[in-house]
Amino acid sequence: MAVIKMQWLVIGVVLTLLAGCGGSGDEEQATLGRDYTTTRSADEGSDTSSGSEGQASTATQPLEVTVEASMELRSDRRIIVVGQTNLPVSSNISVMVERELSSVRWRERTQVGEDGRFQVGPLGPGSGLPDGGYRIRVELMESSIQPENVRQRIGLQGENLAGDLVEQSRHGLGQVINYSRRFMIGAEPRRTQDQVEVLAVPDT
């Protein structure tokens, strides 16, 4: 009898130990599950919030571009062009003078200065510009050939450019700026009825 009682006692101890271990494991698993769910939810909310803030901070406002240019006819009948713009500093621009009668063009490239000013010239043939009608054009080159600071402001395809001067690049490389102004040289063209600036040849 003593041996039987001892066997039952041993069995009881073993069952108690097994029951205790099983309950501890379930509690640990349940606790880990709750912690994981709570932590994951908080992290997802944080990621969403930071992503929204990042998008808002990097949004670029449209640049309503302005350009103004004036011409000076030198005594050798060649043109100096001086302009002002709100394009970013170091923007690569092209300034061109075109004769309306023959479509002959004289072009020079330059960059926008620290104060938004630019100047090119003298433009025209060595013999001087003959009397007649002309058109001056100021063009912002495609974003792909602009300095990094300019690309960041106007966009990789010039998509941040806005205003009446904006047009699509002839080469399909995004948006560019094209400013034009008509003027005339000499005394004879003064008879025109057009609203056009007339440049008189300076006295030599």
Side-chain angles (χ1 to χ4, degrees):
M1 288 295 288
V3 173
I4 295 174
K5 288 182 179 180
M6 181 62 69
Q7 290 176 344
W8 280 110
L9 179 61
V10 170
I11 292 172
V13 171
V14 171
L15 291 175
T16 301
L17 291 174
L18 290 174
C21 291
S24 175
D26 292 341
E27 290 176 2
E28 183 179 0
Q29 185 176 6
T31 302
L32 288 173
R34 287 196 298 272
D35 288 347
Y36 176 76
T37 302
T38 302
T39 305
R40 181 62 177 269
S41 177
D43 288 344
E44 288 178 349
S46 175
D47 290 343
T48 303
S49 175
S50 62
S52 300
E53 291 176 0
Q55 291 178 358
S57 63
T58 56
T60 303
Q61 295 296 322
L63 175 60
E64 191 85 15
V65 179
T66 60
V67 178
E68 288 294 335
S70 60
M71 293 75 67
E72 175 189 344
L73 185 61
R74 304 189 340 158
S75 58
D76 61 359
R77 298 180 68 95
R78 301 174 75 193
I79 294 289
I80 297 291
V81 179
V82 178
Q84 182 80 38
T85 180
N86 65 341
L87 287 168
V89 174
S90 300
S91 293
N92 290 316
I93 61 174
S94 172
V95 182
M96 179 186 68
V97 171
E98 179 180 6
R99 189 182 183 195
E100 294 179 339
L101 183 63
S102 61
S103 297
V104 176
R105 301 172 180 177
W106 298 269
R107 186 193 304 266
E108 185 174 329
R109 295 180 178 182
T110 188
Q111 288 189 328
V112 177
E114 292 287 345
D115 55 357
R117 293 178 62 82
F118 59 90
Q119 179 175 325
V120 299
L123 298 176
S127 58
L129 295 167
D131 288 359
Y134 294 84
R135 187 170 293 276
I136 179 176
R137 297 186 186 276
V138 179
E139 299 177 348
L140 174 69
M141 300 177 195
E142 291 86 352
S143 180
S144 60
I145 57 175
Q146 296 291 346
E148 179 62 25
N149 70 296
V150 179
R151 286 198 300 270
Q152 290 180 355
R153 182 64 184 95
I154 70 175
L156 297 180
Q157 294 291 322
E159 64 272 15
N160 297 330
L161 297 171
D164 297 336
L165 303 179
V166 177
E167 63 179 34
Q168 289 296 320
S169 167
R170 293 187 295 272
H171 308 295
L173 299 177
Q175 294 190 141
V176 294
I177 296 299
N178 190 345
Y179 164 91
S180 67
R181 181 176 177 180
R182 188 167 179 254
F183 66 97
M184 305 190 80
I185 295 177
E188 187 67 22
R190 291 177 185 274
R191 299 174 184 174
T192 180
Q193 299 300 313
D194 297 340
Q195 295 295 321
V196 58
E197 181 176 0
V198 177
L199 302 182
V201 180
D203 296 332
T204 57

